[in-house]
Amino acid sequence: MKEKILHETYKFFRESNDFNGISLTELAKKVGISYIEIFPYMEGLINEDFVSIQAGENPHIIRMAHYPKDKQLECLKEAEQNKTEVIKTIEPKGFDVEFNPIVLVSQSHSRCIYPSPKYLEQTLITAEYDKTPFTKRIAYGEAQLTPVFFEIDVLERYSSDPRYRFSFEDYSGEISINETSDKPSELKETDQIFLKTFGLGYDNEENRVAVAYLRYLSDMSSEHQLYWYSKMVETKCKMVKEYFNNTIIGDWVFSQSLFAAVIEEQILINKMCKLIIEKPLFRETFKDEKRPKEFTFFNSPTLVNYEKFITVLDKMLSDNINKSFFKGDIEEYDIETISEGVVERKPKGTLRLLEEWLRQNYTLHDENGYETLMAPFKEVRKERQKPAHKISQNYYDKALFKKQMDLLSKVYHSLLNLRYIFHQHRKAKQVQIPKWLEKGEIKHF
């Protein structure tokens, strides 16, 4: 009977769509015995480490971990007694983050049986999964939400290819093919992948890494599984707590990144300016789908990526300032004498117009305050001009991450101070500031 139970458990696991477990009730029916009669056999198989039992909200997959043997036997006993009880929290391996306790509630009969990793190791043919390494790990009994860590540049294949839709937030993202009903994908079938979620993490030296769960990695074609496998990080890593809480705990996190803060400050400034003089200071804002793909944590620290980031940031700032905002208030041109009787009108740059407008309309206690406020915007413009005037050899340098974040932090604080100035106006006081900005819940990750 034990062999029969093992056979049906293994068969169900292998033939199911997602390496699912078979419920105790269904397993009893398949081997031709009653529900009560199956328990002595199950106890023996668990003790011999040939099967594993899962309970909780979704026992049909090995979600985060196999239970220790003593907890499996407790779970089996509860199922035999037809009880609904709480299984003690079991901390899954491989996450390395602090999190609130996970309470697993097991209901009567909602237990599923799996072949154990030990049994699978003895039974499966290894070569069958050689070209799908992440599918192989699930096939051998690993938990489907086991996190796997990768070099951050694993994502650039998709972010730089317009045939993919590379969508992201501050610490998570998604990859899919870029197609519509009118325009089918030009990618060959094996390249038409969908990665439901990936996140941000760090290695033990605090270098950024990408993280994805086995479940979603296993959905990719063999070509892409092998590509991601080649980028795996073997050293100890951890995902950011916000990604873990959102994807595993289901606890929505309301803190935002420095990138999101810069975008939100521009939105608030525009709202205030429209109320004050009926014109926005910035020609456009960049929330959600308008956010440039270079404006992210998910790029490797190369000079090319840094220069792309600087170019985008300058386009969001100085190139994005609305010149009509100053019309009728600030002279838009310098008059330069070329020769006797000949003059030339030279347009002022947007940053100069903004500084002159501030000096004319707002009094700061510190005369140097205007220059301090404008300095980060000018620094971004200066950084952008470097690649515009010379050809540089690309290189990889982890220090570029810090350089990127230091500059973005300066920009954020200048935008914050600019927003404070506009918010003092009586017409702008009605604009509500999001709580996460007010409280400074801004992460550098």
Side-chain angles (χ1 to χ4, degrees):
M1 181 54 69
K2 280 186 179 181
E3 287 297 323
K4 200 172 182 181
I5 290 171
L6 265 177
H7 171 76
E8 291 297 338
T9 302
Y10 175 77
K11 181 182 177 185
F12 189 92
F13 179 78
R14 292 279 284 124
E15 294 179 355
S16 61
N17 292 328
D18 296 311
F19 299 101
N20 303 120
I22 185 170
S23 71
L24 273 169
T25 49
E26 185 173 354
L27 182 57
K29 288 178 184 177
K30 283 189 175 291
V31 298
I33 58 178
S34 70
Y35 179 75
I36 293 300
E37 288 175 316
I38 200 170
F39 287 97
Y41 299 110
M42 296 309 307
E43 183 177 353
L45 289 169
I46 289 173
N47 277 320
E48 294 170 47
D49 194 19
F50 284 141
V51 300
S52 173
I53 188 169
Q54 288 280 315
E57 293 181 3
N58 184 10
H60 299 282
I61 61 168
I62 303 169
R63 187 169 179 264
M64 295 177 66
H66 290 273
Y67 302 152
K69 190 178 293 184
D70 60 334
K71 298 301 177 186
Q72 290 190 51
L73 293 172
E74 284 181 25
C75 183
L76 186 69
K77 194 68 176 176
E78 290 162 10
E80 185 178 11
Q81 296 171 356
N82 200 27
K83 289 182 179 179
T84 300
E85 295 190 12
V86 173
I87 298 176
K88 293 180 182 178
T89 301
I90 300 164
E91 295 187 9
K93 296 179 181 178
F95 290 92
D96 296 319
V97 294
E98 295 178 2
F99 56 90
N100 296 325
I102 305 170
V103 178
L104 300 175
V105 179
S106 61
Q107 298 176 343
S108 59
H109 297 272
S110 62
R111 279 82 169 175
C112 289
I113 307 300
Y114 297 80
S116 69
K118 171 185 170 181
Y119 181 79
L120 289 167
E121 190 70 35
Q122 295 173 357
T123 310
L124 280 173
I125 301 172
T126 303
E128 185 176 347
Y129 295 102
D130 280 351
K131 294 183 179 180
T132 53
F134 302 116
T135 307
K136 178 179 181 178
R137 289 174 63 173
I138 297 177
Y140 276 80
E142 274 198 66
Q144 299 208 9
L145 294 185
T146 300
V148 188
F149 296 92
F150 305 90
E151 296 169 16
I152 199 74
D153 64 2
V154 72
L155 300 168
E156 291 184 20
R157 173 174 181 173
Y158 309 98
S159 64
S160 62
D161 190 335
R163 296 174 298 176
Y164 290 101
R165 185 178 291 111
F166 184 79
S167 57
F168 60 92
E169 294 179 358
D170 293 326
Y171 47 80
S172 65
E174 174 185 292
I175 300 170
S176 59
I177 57 173
N178 197 3
E179 69 173 356
T180 64
S181 56
D182 297 328
K183 187 181 178 182
S185 174
E186 297 176 358
L187 291 162
K188 62 182 181 180
E189 187 174 349
T190 53
D191 286 330
Q192 293 182 17
I193 70 151
F194 173 59
L195 184 62
K196 184 176 181 179
T197 179
F198 63 84
L200 183 69
Y202 289 91
D203 65 14
N204 54 10
E205 296 180 354
E206 294 302 310
N207 298 309
R208 294 175 197 166
V209 295
V211 58
Y213 297 120
L214 275 182
R215 171 66 184 82
Y216 307 117
L217 292 165
S218 70
D219 286 338
M220 294 193 293
S221 65
S222 60
E223 289 90 339
H224 286 263
Q225 286 197 43
L226 290 170
Y227 165 69
W228 281 69
Y229 186 77
S230 71
K231 298 285 186 178
M232 279 178 56
V233 176
E234 300 295 343
T235 57
K236 188 176 182 180
C237 299
K238 59 184 177 181
M239 67 179 73
V240 297
K241 185 176 180 180
E242 287 78 5
Y243 185 64
F244 177 86
N245 284 345
N246 283 176
T247 55
I248 300 297
I249 306 297
D251 179 19
W252 292 105
V253 178
F254 296 102
S255 57
Q256 303 280 350
S257 78
L258 202 53
F259 291 95
V262 166
I263 291 170
E264 192 64 33
E265 291 293 359
Q266 287 188 304
I267 292 170
L268 291 169
I269 289 168
N270 269 6
K271 286 180 180 179
M272 293 173 186
C273 290
K274 287 178 183 178
L275 290 170
I276 297 169
I277 61 172
E278 299 181 350
K279 297 175 186 175
L281 177 61
F282 298 105
R283 290 185 292 110
E284 62 178 317
T285 54
F286 302 92
K287 199 163 187 176
D288 299 329
E289 70 277 358
K290 290 186 178 181
R291 178 171 167 174
K293 63 184 179 181
E294 296 85 0
F295 202 59
T296 177
F297 292 106
F298 293 110
N299 281 322
S300 57
T302 64
L303 179 62
V304 167
N305 283 335
Y306 176 75
E307 290 176 346
K308 286 179 180 178
F309 163 75
I310 288 295
T311 299
V312 162
L313 186 57
D314 191 50
K315 287 180 179 179
M316 294 171 69
L317 296 170
S318 61
D319 282 359
N320 192 32
I321 291 174
N322 177 20
K323 280 195 171 185
S324 68
F325 179 86
F326 311 103
K327 196 167 186 179
D329 207 3
I330 296 292
E331 176 56 53
E332 296 182 48
Y333 297 90
D334 283 323
I335 306 299
E336 185 176 317
T337 301
I338 304 299
S339 60
E340 187 177 348
V342 180
V343 297
E344 181 181 0
R345 288 201 318 164
K346 289 190 174 181
K348 296 177 182 177
T350 55
L351 296 181
R352 183 177 166 191
L353 287 171
L354 177 57
E355 185 172 349
E356 288 184 10
W357 188 90
L358 288 170
R359 289 179 181 274
Q360 178 175 299
N361 290 278
Y362 289 91
T363 302
L364 298 180
H365 298 299
D366 182 2
E367 178 62 24
N368 295 323
Y370 302 101
E371 292 180 6
T372 301
L373 189 150
M374 297 300 300
F377 304 148
K378 293 177 182 178
E379 186 178 350
V380 171
R381 162 109 322 193
K382 186 178 179 181
E383 282 287 288
R384 182 184 177 184
Q385 288 173 345
K386 291 178 182 177
H389 297 292
K390 67 176 182 178
I391 298 174
S392 300
Q393 188 70 31
N394 192 24
Y395 62 85
Y396 182 99
D397 186 353
K398 294 173 183 177
L400 290 170
F401 273 151
K402 186 176 187 305
K403 190 175 181 181
Q404 174 194 32
M405 297 311 297
D406 287 348
L407 184 52
L408 190 62
S409 181
K410 294 177 188 176
V411 167
Y412 163 68
H413 283 99
S414 283
L415 288 171
L416 173 63
N417 290 327
L418 194 57
R419 188 245 296 172
Y420 282 155
I421 289 173
F422 286 118
H423 210 196
Q424 293 172 22
H425 196 284
R426 59 183 177 80
K427 291 184 179 179
K429 290 188 180 297
Q430 63 182 281
V431 176
Q432 297 294 311
I433 310 302
K435 289 183 179 179
W436 62 271
L437 269 183
E438 275 192 314
K439 294 180 179 180
E441 295 175 345
I442 299 164
K443 297 291 187 73
H444 288 228
F445 293 111

